[in-house]
């Protein structure tokens, strides 16, 4: 009989259970995705630019575990909220409380086990799909990463089975403690009482102090190291929850108290809707804010490492494009590039040296990068202005030539590619035009230029570097390990940072998915309670368009608060990487824009789904 009642109720309410199943599945999949990285110590140590990355993942596991515990306890209580009235009816008709309690226990456990199986399958699939996509995008082999990781699988199963058992027991106890009348009228009772008076003040003060301490730890992460990570975790996380639990009810109350706002349109109803479940909403919004901070923070950090490789390579090279002995095909290709500056210099090569024309160099003097010794600006760009008065300059001390000035030596070696990798140990010379023409060798050219984004021309630059390696074989007899170009340095730096970039992007996508799941699940799971309210408003003559506008406004406020707090956490939190990255905020608008687009789409999707549930059909 118990099994029949259980299966019958689940079949009858399958649409509601699908919402729950979706939320639990995403939670399990994200937890598993995180653990595939967190427990693979060999992969982390081999591919991380940050030496303390393993410790950071341990802290991340702790934070995710706390968020997951809260989420699962709330999500499984959704089963109870759906079934309370029905369970009360069973007891009214003579069912024993023990049997009803047992049915509630089994129902929670069955849903948990089903979602665990599906969640693990989805988690493995997402891990494989996202990992392969990122690896292809980053040109990263990712050796050692496995989407199906046995220890992560067992950790997820054990962790969630314990949680589902605990929540099943808690739900059963809650049913056992309720009277028949409480079960029958459960949907008419507000979730929690709003914190008032001195409790609001103390909670807000406590939140501000905790968040301020956490921000201080983030900003000074270079000095605090591991202690900074622990302090930031132990303060910002509870501080965020206290902020929402204390301040949000107060803000809603104050807005409701402004007559010019409250009495306009359906604002009284909109803010009453928020006020009705404000305490429970505040906890969910705190969770969402933390997930936004974790997800957007991981994605922002990953992209910052990615873009900083370009900045680091630009610190060492004044010119983006450097081409020795350019071919007609290469020159034709570069004619379509938008150059900010471009120059062509002549040189000749003999067994003794590499010779440049002084007249050409002084007519269009090149620029170089010089170390400043200033932490705010490590290098600066300098255009050479030294007047070359002597007829001959060389890098080797001789009686017949002046010693080449250091800046000009740097320009030839670094910017004009006359380096050891290409020409071996040949000396460098700068000659006046008469002496240059007397050198018995063919005249060659080197093309240099600046473009807005040299990565846009990666394929051509890669081909040019390959040809430079063959050119080095011609002059030295052996292939060099590198040629000295900016693109080659960029690829080398990116290969070092790729592992950290991969981890940041992988986790960013995972956390943002969970964030969206938490917020959508909370709002849609409580939508059925609001059906009667919207039907009542429609019956007394409120227009359909007004009701839709009210929903847009209500859910906008719900999305706004965690979005702002999470964004502030990220903007301050990026200071954690200031001792590693040259410009931690470089192109930060890109991940923020991506987040806003994703967040906005979820907002619109949630609004449409919510409207479909609560609004009466025309």
């Amino acid at each position: 009989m118990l099994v029949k009642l259980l299966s019958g109720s689940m079949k009858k309410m399958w649409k509601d259970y699908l919402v729950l199943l979706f939320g639990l599945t995403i939670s399990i999949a994200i937890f598993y995705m995180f653990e595939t990285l967190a427990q693979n110590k060999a992969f982390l140590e081999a591919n991380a630019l940050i030496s303390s990355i393993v410790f950071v993942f341990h802290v991340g596991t702790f934070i995710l575990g706390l968020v997951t515990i809260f989420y699962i306890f709330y999500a499984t209580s959704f089963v109870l909220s759906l079934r309370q009235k029905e369970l009360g009816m069973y007891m009214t008709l003579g069912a024993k409380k023990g049997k009803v309690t047992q049915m509630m226990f089994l129902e929670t456990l069955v849903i948990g086990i089903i979602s665990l199986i599906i969640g693990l399958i989805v988690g493995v699939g997402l891990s494989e799909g996202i990992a392969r996509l990122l690896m292809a995008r980053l040109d990263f082999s990712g050796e050692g990463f496995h989407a199906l990781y046995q220890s992560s699988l067992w950790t997820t199963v054990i962790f969630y089975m314990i949680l589902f058992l605990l929540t099943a027991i808690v739900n059963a106890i809650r049913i056992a403690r309720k009277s028949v009348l409480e079960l029958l009228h459960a949907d008419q009772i507000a979730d929690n009482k709003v914190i008032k008076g001195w409790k609001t003040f103390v909670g807000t003060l406590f939140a501000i102090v905790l968040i301020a301490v956490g921000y201080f730890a983030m900003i000074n992460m270079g000095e605090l190291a591991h202690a900074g990570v622990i302090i930031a975790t132990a303060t910002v996380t509870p501080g965020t929850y206290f902020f929402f639990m204390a301040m949000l009810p107060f803000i809603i109350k104050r807005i409701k108290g402004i007559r010019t706002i409250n009495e306009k349109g359906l604002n009284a109803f909109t803010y009453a809707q928020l006020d009705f479940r404000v305490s429970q909403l505040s906890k969910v919004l705190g969770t969402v804010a933390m997930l936004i901070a974790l997800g957007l923070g991981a994605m922002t950090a990953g992209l910052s490492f990615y873009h900083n490789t370009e900045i680091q390579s630009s610190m060492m090279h004044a010119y983006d494009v450097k081409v020795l002995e350019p071919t007609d095909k290469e020159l034709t290709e570069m004619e379509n590039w938008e150059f900010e500056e471009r120059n062509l210099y002549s040189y000749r090569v003999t067994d003794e040296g590499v010779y440049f024309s002084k007249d050409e160099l002084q007519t269009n003097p090149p620029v170089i990068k010089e170390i400043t010794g200033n932490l705010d600006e490590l290098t600066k760009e300098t255009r050479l202005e030294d007047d070359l008065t002597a007829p001959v300059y060389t890098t080797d001390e001789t009686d017949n030539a002046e010693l080449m000035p250091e800046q000009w030596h740097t320009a030839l070696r670094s910017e004009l590619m006359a380096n050891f990798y290409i020409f071996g140990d040949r000396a460098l010379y700068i000659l006046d035009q008469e002496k240059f023409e007397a050198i018995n060798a063919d005249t060659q050219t080197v093309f240099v230029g600046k473009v807005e984004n040299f990565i846009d021309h990666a394929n051509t630059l890669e081909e040019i570097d390959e040809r430079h390696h063959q050119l080095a074989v011609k002059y030295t007899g052996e292939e060099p390990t590198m040629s000295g170009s900016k693109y080659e340095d960029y690829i080398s730096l990116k290969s070092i940072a790729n592992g950290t970039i991969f981890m940041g992007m992988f986790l960013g996508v995972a956390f943002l998915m969970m964030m969206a799941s938490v917020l959508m699940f909370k709002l849609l799971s409580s939508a059925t309670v609001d059906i009667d309210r919207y039907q009542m408003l429609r019956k007394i003559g409120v227009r359909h368009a007004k009701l839709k506008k009210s929903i847009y406004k209500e859910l906008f406020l719900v999305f706004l608060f965690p979005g702002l707090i999470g964004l502030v956490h990220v903007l301050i939190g990026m200071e954690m990487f200031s001792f590693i990255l040259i410009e931690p905020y470089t192109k930060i608008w890109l991940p923020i824009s991506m987040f806003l687009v994703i967040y906005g789409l979820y907002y619109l999707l949630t609004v449409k789904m919510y409207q479909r549930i609560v609004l009466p059909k025309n």
Side-chain angles (χ1 to χ4, degrees):
M1 186 64 183
L2 189 65
V3 175
K4 284 184 179 181
L5 284 174
L6 182 61
S7 60
S9 64
M10 293 183 74
K11 286 178 182 178
K12 182 179 65 176
M13 305 177 69
W14 68 271
K15 289 184 179 179
D16 295 316
Y17 283 113
L18 275 180
V19 176
L20 172 63
L21 199 63
F22 173 77
L24 293 177
T25 298
I26 292 297
S27 169
I28 294 163
I30 300 313
F31 187 88
Y32 173 80
M33 287 174 67
F34 185 88
E35 289 302 308
T36 56
L37 283 177
Q39 296 193 30
N40 196 336
K41 186 178 178 181
F43 175 79
L44 295 178
E45 290 179 342
N47 294 285
L49 190 60
I50 308 173
S51 59
S52 60
I53 193 73
V54 176
F55 176 77
V56 171
F57 268 86
H58 289 325
V59 175
T61 299
F62 175 75
I63 295 174
L64 183 60
L66 288 179
V67 171
T68 303
I69 289 170
F70 167 78
Y71 178 64
I72 294 301
F73 267 88
Y74 168 74
T76 51
S77 69
F78 174 51
V79 180
L80 181 62
S81 67
L82 288 175
R83 305 275 283 116
Q84 284 185 97
K85 193 169 184 177
E86 185 180 348
L87 295 176
M89 289 293 294
Y90 290 153
M91 292 171 66
T92 303
L93 295 172
K96 293 181 180 180
K97 182 173 282 190
K99 288 293 182 182
V100 172
T101 302
Q102 187 180 352
M103 187 170 68
M104 192 69 248
F105 176 86
L106 289 174
E107 191 168 330
T108 306
L109 199 58
V110 166
I111 292 171
I113 293 171
I114 293 172
S115 62
L116 181 58
I117 295 170
I118 299 173
L120 288 173
I121 296 171
V122 173
V124 173
L126 284 175
S127 297
E128 181 70 23
I130 294 173
R132 296 306 162 201
L133 180 66
L134 288 173
M135 287 176 188
R137 183 67 179 171
L138 296 172
D139 194 21
F140 172 55
S141 63
E143 293 181 11
F145 176 83
H146 302 287
L148 184 59
Y149 204 67
Q150 189 173 356
S151 64
S152 302
L153 201 67
W154 282 112
T155 300
T156 306
V157 170
I158 293 169
F159 181 70
Y160 274 89
M161 282 304 300
I162 292 172
L163 282 183
F164 288 137
L165 279 171
L166 289 175
T167 51
I169 292 169
V170 169
N171 281 351
I173 292 173
R174 289 171 67 184
I175 287 293
R177 289 181 175 178
K178 288 180 180 287
S179 66
V180 176
L181 284 176
E182 286 176 325
L183 290 172
L184 290 172
H185 299 287
D187 57 349
Q188 300 173 17
I189 303 171
D191 293 322
N192 286 299
K193 292 182 179 179
V194 176
I195 301 173
K196 295 182 179 179
W198 65 271
K199 291 183 179 180
T200 299
F201 174 77
V202 172
T204 302
L205 182 63
F206 199 38
I208 293 172
V209 170
L210 284 173
I211 292 174
V213 172
Y215 284 174
F216 176 82
M218 290 178 182
I219 293 171
N220 295 278
M221 192 64 67
E223 292 78 24
L224 296 173
H226 285 183
V229 178
I230 295 172
I231 292 170
T233 303
T235 53
V236 173
T237 304
T240 301
Y241 280 101
F242 274 111
F243 181 85
F244 278 99
M245 292 170 68
M247 279 297 292
L248 186 59
F250 175 75
I251 291 171
I252 300 300
K253 284 286 185 184
R254 297 308 300 171
I255 294 175
K256 281 186 65 181
I258 302 174
R259 292 185 60 183
T260 54
I261 296 176
N262 197 49
E263 295 178 0
K264 185 178 180 180
L266 285 180
N267 283 352
F269 172 74
T270 302
Y271 295 121
Q273 281 284 95
L274 288 173
D275 189 40
F276 181 68
R277 290 182 303 272
V278 69
S279 295
Q280 192 175 39
L281 267 177
S282 64
K283 296 171 188 175
V284 174
L285 296 182
T287 301
V288 173
M290 287 305 301
L291 287 172
I292 290 173
L294 290 170
L296 182 57
M299 187 177 289
T300 303
L303 286 172
S304 292
F305 275 104
Y306 183 83
H307 292 305
N308 263 260
T309 56
E310 183 178 343
I311 294 172
Q312 288 174 305
S313 59
S314 296
M315 288 177 57
M316 300 179 282
H317 300 269
Y319 291 106
D320 305 307
V321 181
K322 309 172 187 181
V323 189
L324 288 166
E325 303 179 19
T327 64
D328 293 337
K329 179 184 175 182
E330 290 167 350
L331 289 173
T332 303
E333 170 73 20
M334 290 187 292
E335 283 295 325
N336 300 319
W337 299 2
E338 295 182 5
F339 283 96
E340 299 172 5
E341 178 184 336
R342 55 193 293 179
N343 290 309
L344 196 66
Y345 300 101
S346 299
Y347 68 93
R348 294 184 178 183
V349 183
T350 66
D351 291 339
E352 289 75 32
V354 183
Y355 306 87
F356 286 85
S357 168
K358 183 176 71 173
D359 291 353
E360 287 186 1
L361 291 173
Q362 288 196 307
T363 302
N364 295 299
V367 291
I368 61 171
K369 288 284 188 176
E370 288 189 304
I371 298 174
T372 63
N374 184 357
L375 292 177
D376 295 329
E377 187 182 10
L378 296 176
T379 63
K380 67 176 182 178
E381 190 174 286
T382 303
R383 189 171 297 278
L384 301 189
E385 297 178 350
D386 292 346
D387 189 20
L388 300 174
T389 55
V392 180
Y393 290 91
T394 182
T395 53
D396 291 346
E397 292 188 15
T398 64
D399 296 334
N400 301 323
E402 292 282 341
L403 190 64
M404 190 181 296
E406 184 63 31
Q407 286 187 327
W408 283 101
H409 187 187
T410 301
L412 298 188
R413 290 288 190 194
S414 177
E415 302 303 334
L416 304 190
M417 298 279 288
N419 54 50
F420 175 81
Y421 305 112
I422 304 295
F423 297 103
D425 55 2
R426 289 178 173 83
L428 300 183
Y429 293 87
I430 298 177
L431 311 176
D432 59 23
Q433 194 61 29
E434 182 180 349
K435 293 185 180 295
F436 179 77
E437 293 293 342
I439 299 297
N440 186 21
D442 294 333
T443 299
Q444 307 292 347
T445 57
V446 53
F447 177 94
V448 295
K450 296 180 183 180
V451 291
E452 186 174 346
N453 186 4
F454 76 101
I455 305 303
D456 292 341
H457 313 293
N459 292 335
T460 302
L461 293 175
E462 184 179 6
E463 292 175 1
I464 290 172
D465 277 341
E466 290 175 358
R467 190 178 58 76
H468 282 166
H469 280 241
Q470 298 305 313
L471 196 63
V473 174
K474 169 186 169 183
Y475 286 119
T476 65
E478 57 184 36
E479 186 169 349
T481 55
M482 58 190 301
S483 64
S485 69
K486 178 178 178 178
Y487 177 76
E488 199 168 59
D489 284 344
Y490 165 75
I491 293 299
S492 299
L493 290 168
K494 193 163 77 74
S495 66
I496 296 171
N498 261 347
T500 304
I501 297 168
F502 169 79
M503 294 172 202
M505 296 298 293
F506 186 89
L507 296 179
V509 172
F511 281 125
L512 287 181
M513 285 173 60
M514 186 158 182
M515 169 274 299
S517 170
V518 170
L519 196 50
M520 280 188 67
F521 178 72
K522 164 58 189 170
L523 293 170
L524 296 178
S525 65
S526 60
T528 52
V529 181
D530 296 331
I531 293 175
D532 291 339
R533 300 187 184 104
Y534 282 95
Q535 285 180 342
M536 188 181 300
L537 287 171
R538 190 75 176 111
K539 287 175 181 178
I540 63 175
V542 178
R543 285 182 291 132
H544 199 270
K546 285 282 187 182
L547 294 177
K548 291 178 69 174
K549 185 177 179 181
S550 174
I551 292 172
Y552 271 106
K553 187 179 295 184
E554 178 188 345
L555 297 190
F556 175 77
L557 290 173
V558 171
F559 273 78
L560 178 65
F561 287 109
L564 286 176
I565 297 299
L567 189 57
V568 172
H569 284 352
V570 171
L571 293 175
I572 301 297
M574 284 306 295
E575 284 291 332
M576 295 170 60
F577 302 99
S578 59
F579 69 100
I580 301 172
L581 299 175
I582 300 168
E583 295 182 18
Y585 293 97
T586 182
K587 296 186 180 179
I588 194 172
W589 60 268
L590 184 58
I592 290 176
S593 299
M594 291 169 61
F595 159 70
L596 291 177
V597 170
I598 294 171
Y599 204 50
L601 289 174
Y602 268 103
Y603 161 69
L604 293 174
L605 180 62
T606 305
V607 167
K608 294 300 181 185
M609 294 177 70
Y610 191 90
Q611 288 175 345
R612 184 175 296 178
I613 294 171
V614 302
L615 290 183
K617 301 294 185 294
N618 287 325

